[in-house]
Amino acid sequence: MVVRKFFAPGTREALRLVREGLGTDALILSNRQVPGGVEIMAVAERDVSAAVSTVSAASGGPSPGFDVNATQDILSEVRHLRGMVESQLAGFAWKELTRTSPAQAELVRVLLGRGFGARFSRALASRLPADLRGTQVMRWVKAVLAANVRSVPAGEDLVSRGGVFALVGPTGAGKTTTVAKLAASCTLQHGASRVALLTTDCYRIGAVDQLRIYGRILGVPVLVARDQRDLAASLAELQGRHLVLIDTVGMSQRDRRVAEQAALLSGHGRPVQRLLLLSAVAQGEALEETVERYRADGLAGCVLTKVDEAVTLGAVLDVLVRAALPLHYVTNGQRVPEDLHLASSLYLVERAFRAELPDGSFRLAPEDVPLAAARTSSGTRTPVAP
């Protein structure tokens, strides 16, 4: 087992060196202040696992006194100790940041309170120009965020451009209602004869009937595709339509059928572009996982739904910036088509910081900030100044 020593002028830099050298699962054995900075001794978790396995084998393999369960207990205890040390280090790093860069520390606190992820918040705060103070800080933050949210401008949105679009995403994201809103908007601009609806959702009770009701109201055809043959025939029949919208079955990002759905929507002559629906009320971890899973099979962009129900928009803005996913529309209610709007990055950023935060159990307390700021996420892209 190789124990490595890391030195840096400050705790944050030392922790960064540990992560870069040994990975995010590195076990921190000790830390101490030394002349000129901080010294951390750490070991890769895989080395600890290998060492424990070696000891187990040397003792005769699985036995009542030292078997696989004992190995797991040791690793669990080591991880627990690591968590305790990292919590202390997080506190040290936060105190160091508040002492050396109080403006950055305050910005991290604000961003965390608004739902942005820890890594994103730290990365954005680290780029804060040193000469900014007070209200200048928030003006800079809003400008950077707005420049990094890829909202699709008028004239380039799917209603204006036309094409075949399948709306995909988790159950409850609002796909069917959004299909109706887009169809209504296109009907108003181009006429009912230029629009058609398709559905592959033959599983949810009433799904087809719901879409057919919208179709009758708008005066547009609604076709049902149960398999690839149906879908190919339907798309061939609707070849001359300006906009064809496909309502799909809602699927969790962890559902193995996501890949099957992507395969169903591909290879039919006329390209089918997939548009991911993201709910503004979903957890940041779920949003991140959803984007990563659905993006693996190709996405033309996304629609942000249920903005009116969200307390904060930090998590979804965090994910949108890091994923660099084009945002076509936002929805903020059930009215068709009134509650569908072209995406505006300026509006979303202002909305993210304007709303009053409820004074409830989930509000971040000052003593919780160091631990929250120490958390990491899998994304690596950070916003850049315009």
Side-chain angles (χ1 to χ4, degrees):
M1 183 169 65
V2 180
V3 178
R4 293 182 57 183
K5 184 184 298 183
F6 298 87
F7 173 82
T11 305
R12 292 180 63 203
E13 293 86 350
L15 288 173
R16 179 179 59 79
L17 292 176
V18 171
R19 286 193 294 268
E20 291 177 354
L22 300 176
T24 57
D25 292 330
L27 304 176
I28 297 173
L29 303 178
S30 69
N31 72 289
R32 61 173 182 154
Q33 295 286 337
V34 296
V38 175
E39 179 188 274
I40 293 179
M41 298 185 70
V43 61
E45 184 173 4
R46 60 182 178 274
D47 291 344
V48 177
S49 301
V52 172
S53 300
T54 300
V55 173
S56 176
S59 64
S63 66
F66 200 99
D67 57 14
V68 175
N69 291 332
T71 301
Q72 294 302 320
D73 288 343
I74 293 174
L75 289 176
S76 177
E77 186 66 22
V78 171
R79 292 190 187 102
H80 175 68
L81 292 173
R82 180 187 68 183
M84 294 176 60
V85 173
E86 287 182 343
S87 295
Q88 291 182 332
L89 289 174
F92 296 153
W94 181 254
K95 289 180 181 178
E96 182 182 338
L97 182 63
T98 56
R99 179 180 61 83
T100 59
S101 305
Q104 288 187 19
E106 175 61 16
L107 178 54
V108 169
R109 186 193 66 79
V110 170
L111 292 172
L112 289 174
R114 293 291 174 169
F116 291 88
R119 177 174 292 181
F120 184 94
S121 300
R122 294 196 308 268
L124 182 56
S126 69
R127 302 186 181 194
L128 178 67
D131 59 336
L132 298 185
R133 294 291 183 273
T135 57
Q136 295 176 323
V137 172
M138 289 313 300
R139 282 200 295 269
W140 178 85
V141 169
K142 291 177 181 179
V144 172
L145 290 174
N148 283 269
V149 175
R150 295 182 57 191
S151 53
V152 176
E156 297 182 20
D157 59 291
L158 63 94
V159 170
S160 300
R161 277 195 299 119
V164 181
F165 290 88
L167 275 64
V168 299
T171 303
K175 290 185 293 298
T176 303
T177 305
T178 304
V179 165
K181 291 175 182 177
L182 291 169
S185 178
C186 191
T187 297
L188 290 173
Q189 293 184 39
H190 302 282
S193 63
R194 303 283 287 153
V195 186
L197 304 180
L198 259 167
T199 181
T200 63
D201 189 356
C202 302
Y203 303 93
R204 186 165 53 92
I205 296 175
V208 175
D209 292 336
Q210 182 183 4
L211 197 65
R212 280 175 173 160
I213 291 171
Y214 284 130
R216 283 198 296 270
I217 293 172
L218 298 174
V220 302
V222 176
L223 283 70
V224 179
R226 292 177 174 81
D227 52 32
Q228 285 190 332
R229 181 177 297 180
D230 283 352
L231 185 59
S234 298
L235 291 178
E237 180 181 342
L238 301 172
Q239 189 70 34
R241 303 277 173 160
H242 173 74
L243 182 65
V244 177
L245 297 168
I246 304 174
D247 189 17
T248 65
V249 182
M251 292 183 185
S252 162
Q253 67 275 14
R254 300 180 180 180
D255 195 321
R256 61 177 179 80
R257 295 177 300 163
V258 170
E260 297 175 7
Q261 183 186 75
L264 171 67
L265 297 171
S266 63
H268 302 291
R270 193 175 182 186
V272 177
Q273 302 178 70
R274 298 193 312 146
L275 205 63
L276 177 62
L277 266 68
L278 296 174
S279 171
V281 300
Q283 294 177 327
E285 292 85 350
L287 289 166
E288 182 176 61
E289 195 174 67
T290 297
V291 170
E292 289 303 313
R293 180 63 190 89
Y294 275 90
R295 188 169 60 175
D297 298 306
L299 289 173
C302 64
V303 174
L304 180 59
T305 64
K306 303 186 179 183
V307 172
D308 56 313
E309 300 178 24
V311 176
T312 65
L313 294 180
V316 73
L317 288 179
D318 180 324
V319 172
L320 286 175
V321 169
R322 286 189 290 109
L325 197 60
L327 179 62
H328 286 256
Y329 297 93
V330 298
T331 72
N332 61 348
Q334 294 295 311
R335 296 180 302 169
V336 177
E338 292 86 350
D339 293 330
L340 175 77
H341 311 277
L342 282 172
S344 166
S345 57
L346 288 173
Y347 165 77
L348 291 174
V349 172
E350 286 293 337
R351 167 76 165 72
F353 293 99
R354 186 183 67 234
E356 284 293 325
L357 296 177
D359 190 15
S361 302
F362 292 93
R363 189 165 186 173
L364 197 64
E367 60 270 22
D368 299 326
V369 173
L371 293 177
R375 294 183 63 195
T376 60
S377 60
S378 60
T380 57
R381 183 180 184 272
T382 55
V384 294

